[in-house]
Amino acid sequence: MTEAKEATTPLMPPSSNKLPDYNKSVKLKYVKLGYHYLITHGMYLLLTPLVAVVAAHMSTLTPQDLSELWDNLQYNLISVISCSTLIVIVVTVYIVTRPHPVYLVDFNCYKPSEAFKCTMQTFMDQSKLTGAFSEENLDFQRRILQRSGLGDNTYFPEALLNIPPNPSLKQARKEAETVMFGAIDGLLAKTNMKTKDIGILIVNCSLFNPTPSLSAMIINHYKLRGNIASYNLGGMGCSAGVIAIDLAKKLLQVHPGTYALVVSTENITLNWYLGNDRSKLVSNCLFRMGGAAILLSNKLTERRRSKYQLLHAVRTNKGADDKCFASVTQEEDANGKLGVSLSKELMAVAGDALKTNITTLGPLVLPISEQLLFFATLVGKKLFKMKLKPYIPDFKLAFEHFCIHAGGRAVLDEIEKNLHLTERHLEPSRMTLYRFGNTSSSSLWYEMAYTEAKGRVKRGDRVWQIGFGSGFKCNSAVWKALRTIKPVKEVNPWMDEIDKFPVDVPRVANF
């Protein structure tokens, strides 16, 4: 029986006449990377044979050939002098007219003390103490908190933690001073900066704009010089931090040899909504206390100790579109209670603004390999009417680090999906949302501080900051690391607990 079975068993299995499934046997991402490197370095590959031919020809020249070449140049002395003069003029004009490089010397994020700690349960208890919310809307806020991506270690201003809460203009000023001065004090300590050397001051805070202004409060507290160029940006939403950086860049182009101090913050004390309009209650659940101070300079002598150089600042404003304009609005409800409404179209509006922004930014940062693929897809769709999916460029080839405004879990999920990013790329944003909440325009800096604390920033790395704000706006800033950031030498709000992160953030938190 065994012999019969062996006799009928073929020595080789029959062929299936099918080709291998290359989608399974070959990782297509490596094919794409190969294409990227081939296109990126294609110029060098083409020039190498030409350089080799020229070098081979030069090696055959004899002293007599060189002598004859020199004689020819002597007879064409006027042409040589003219060409040399033209080259000198062109180089001089380029040096004089080129933009001054803008360096980020250092930055500092404010970390409130334990007295300002606000757990989810504390938030709900304080909300109930106000007596302003119905039981249904207290439960609504609880459900929002559970799915928000926030943790139990965020911070709230003193006025809203008091029993009972006592928001007032005086308390709002106190919150602003605590955050701004705390961030600036830390920055001055890190940089050993003298306040008299600061020539430009820009403060951005969207919802709190007292008189005297926030910038005036800083000038008074630190006794800044009388001819300082100071600006106070209000009502520009969570993306105003990048707007402030762009304004500082433009001012540094016309004020040589100086420093610019940028302060990004938001104020909650007078902007806690005490009504029952659900479109305004979401903001209550997400926004928390925080702020950042950033020192920029155009001095070449600062390059050596600076952390980053600003490469690009791209701003997109969709305010001309009525739907975009009304997507985030500060207004009174039916009972006269002031709050910020978030429309149901907000996610679609944010996606459209991001698309416009990256369309402008892409040619500035993407490698030629990605631009060719995008152009080919566009030509196929528009010219040949081919049914092709829109090509989403691989921004992972342009940037090593992503700092996406921690506005909420839903925003981060959509950006991760649409830009084909990984969990590691979104880690700084998700951990910032979990640990500090939505700190408005300063959230980008908590995210950069997280990346530094993890020791991930190496010399030459590129960082993309993306901010979204009312109006509606999407703004980007691109930075290049000038040196490797060593965590052991850093002082930032993550350092004493960075080993605990990343943490697993539940889709629905229980408290």
Side-chain angles (χ1 to χ4, degrees):
M1 185 67 137
T2 304
E3 292 178 359
K5 188 179 289 186
E6 289 177 354
T8 58
T9 302
L11 296 176
M12 295 182 63
S15 173
S16 62
N17 295 321
K18 290 183 180 180
L19 291 173
D21 186 349
Y22 290 108
N23 283 327
K24 293 181 180 179
S25 61
V26 178
K27 291 187 177 181
L28 293 181
K29 69 175 182 179
Y30 294 118
V31 176
K32 187 173 182 179
L33 280 175
Y35 160 77
H36 161 65
Y37 288 126
L38 177 63
I39 297 298
T40 302
H41 303 290
M43 185 63 68
Y44 300 108
L45 296 175
L46 292 174
L47 288 177
T48 300
L50 179 62
V51 172
V53 170
V54 172
H57 178 71
M58 293 294 293
S59 65
T60 61
L61 293 178
T62 64
Q64 184 178 355
D65 294 331
L66 295 175
S67 177
E68 291 178 359
L69 179 62
W70 174 250
D71 291 338
N72 289 331
L73 288 177
Q74 284 183 318
Y75 291 129
N76 294 279
L77 186 60
I78 296 177
S79 300
V80 172
I81 293 175
S82 300
C83 290
S84 301
T85 304
L86 180 61
I87 291 173
V88 170
I89 292 174
V90 170
V91 170
T92 303
V93 170
Y94 169 75
I95 294 174
V96 171
T97 59
R98 68 173 180 172
H100 297 286
V102 174
Y103 304 115
L104 193 164
V105 180
D106 212 330
F107 67 96
N108 184 62
C109 299
Y110 173 66
K111 185 176 184 179
S113 67
E114 291 295 308
F116 297 101
K117 189 71 67 70
C118 179
T119 67
M120 293 187 184
Q121 190 57 55
T122 300
F123 176 87
M124 292 307 304
D125 292 342
Q126 294 301 105
S127 296
K128 191 170 184 177
L129 277 174
T130 64
F133 307 108
S134 66
E135 287 298 325
E136 293 79 6
N137 280 330
L138 283 171
D139 185 59
F140 173 74
Q141 290 184 83
R142 179 182 291 273
R143 295 198 305 272
I144 292 293
L145 268 179
Q146 289 176 323
R147 294 165 173 79
S148 65
L150 273 70
D152 262 339
N153 294 302
T154 59
Y155 302 98
F156 234 36
E158 179 184 338
L160 303 185
L161 290 175
N162 287 336
I163 301 176
N166 61 330
S168 64
L169 180 61
K170 181 179 180 181
Q171 287 291 336
R173 283 184 174 276
K174 186 175 181 181
E175 179 194 350
E177 290 173 352
T178 301
V179 174
M180 294 192 305
F181 299 164
I184 295 172
D185 287 346
L187 179 64
L188 295 177
K190 291 168 72 172
T191 59
N192 294 316
M193 188 70 190
K194 296 178 181 179
T195 55
K196 66 179 181 63
D197 292 329
I198 299 173
I200 299 167
L201 171 64
I202 303 171
V203 181
N204 69 268
C205 182
S206 186
L207 296 177
F208 182 56
N209 292 284
T211 299
S213 67
L214 298 178
S215 59
M217 290 165 59
I218 293 174
I219 292 171
N220 176 261
H221 181 78
Y222 292 98
K223 308 305 177 187
L224 302 183
R225 67 196 203 195
N227 65 342
I228 190 169
S230 66
Y231 300 84
N232 209 92
L233 306 181
M236 304 195 79
C238 299
S239 68
V242 178
I243 295 175
I245 293 295
D246 182 55
L247 175 58
K249 180 193 75 172
K250 289 179 169 60
L251 291 170
L252 287 169
Q253 299 303 318
V254 295
H255 294 277
T258 190
Y259 297 88
L261 174 62
V262 175
V263 180
S264 294
T265 187
E266 194 51 79
N267 194 283
I268 302 174
T269 299
L270 287 181
N271 293 290
W272 195 22
Y273 173 63
L274 299 173
N276 286 283
D277 183 342
R278 291 195 173 184
S279 68
K280 297 177 176 62
L281 287 173
V282 176
S283 298
N284 277 11
C285 301
L286 297 177
F287 282 90
R288 293 295 183 268
M289 182 180 180
I294 305 98
L295 183 65
L296 304 172
S297 181
N298 55 13
K299 300 178 71 171
L300 290 176
T301 54
E302 286 291 357
R303 180 184 174 89
R304 183 180 58 83
R305 71 160 178 159
S306 294
K307 285 185 171 181
Y308 305 92
Q309 181 176 343
L310 180 63
L311 299 183
H312 307 287
V314 175
R315 295 166 53 180
T316 300
N317 195 315
K318 308 290 286 187
D321 184 288
D322 291 342
K323 183 175 69 174
C324 297
F325 177 76
S327 60
V328 181
T329 308
Q330 186 181 28
E331 60 185 6
E332 296 171 327
D333 64 13
N335 296 315
K337 300 294 184 180
L338 192 64
V340 176
S341 296
L342 306 179
S343 75
K344 295 179 180 179
E345 292 81 19
L346 179 59
M347 291 302 298
V349 166
D352 183 52
L354 176 62
K355 178 182 176 182
T356 304
N357 189 265
I358 65 177
T359 301
T360 305
L361 180 67
L364 301 175
V365 298
L366 286 170
I368 189 65
S369 58
E370 287 300 293
Q371 296 191 47
L372 286 175
L373 287 174
F374 179 80
F375 180 73
T377 305
L378 187 65
V379 170
K381 288 182 63 178
K382 300 296 184 181
L383 192 60
F384 299 104
K385 307 300 180 184
M386 299 171 66
K387 294 182 179 179
L388 299 172
K389 291 183 179 180
Y391 181 72
I392 304 299
D394 188 355
F395 281 93
K396 298 187 293 294
L397 296 174
F399 304 107
E400 285 73 33
H401 310 288
F402 296 79
C403 296
I404 301 164
H405 169 51
R409 170 178 266 159
V411 174
L412 298 179
D413 288 346
E414 283 300 307
I415 292 179
E416 179 180 359
K417 180 177 69 175
N418 291 329
L419 294 183
H420 305 305
L421 302 179
T422 66
E423 290 184 5
R424 183 180 174 87
H425 291 128
L426 269 291
E427 184 184 314
S429 300
R430 294 194 190 281
M431 293 305 101
T432 294
L433 182 64
Y434 177 82
R435 178 62 181 84
F436 293 98
N438 182 348
T439 61
S440 189
S441 57
S442 65
S443 69
L444 300 176
W445 298 103
Y446 286 91
E447 294 161 20
M448 189 175 279
Y450 178 91
T451 307
E452 291 184 352
K454 279 292 183 181
R456 296 176 182 172
V457 180
K458 310 299 180 185
R459 182 179 180 181
D461 283 1
R462 295 150 299 178
V463 184
W464 184 14
Q465 292 181 322
I466 314 171
F468 299 91
S470 58
F472 190 86
K473 297 179 284 293
C474 176
N475 301 318
S476 294
V478 178
W479 304 90
K480 180 180 179 181
L482 297 177
R483 55 185 171 89
T484 298
I485 308 299
K486 299 179 180 179
V488 293
K489 297 182 178 180
E490 285 301 303
V491 178
N492 77 39
W494 294 95
M495 292 311 303
D496 58 350
E497 53 186 302
I498 191 62
D499 292 337
K500 301 176 184 177
F501 292 92
V503 298
D504 181 36
V505 182
R507 301 300 298 183
V508 179
N510 293 316
F511 67 94

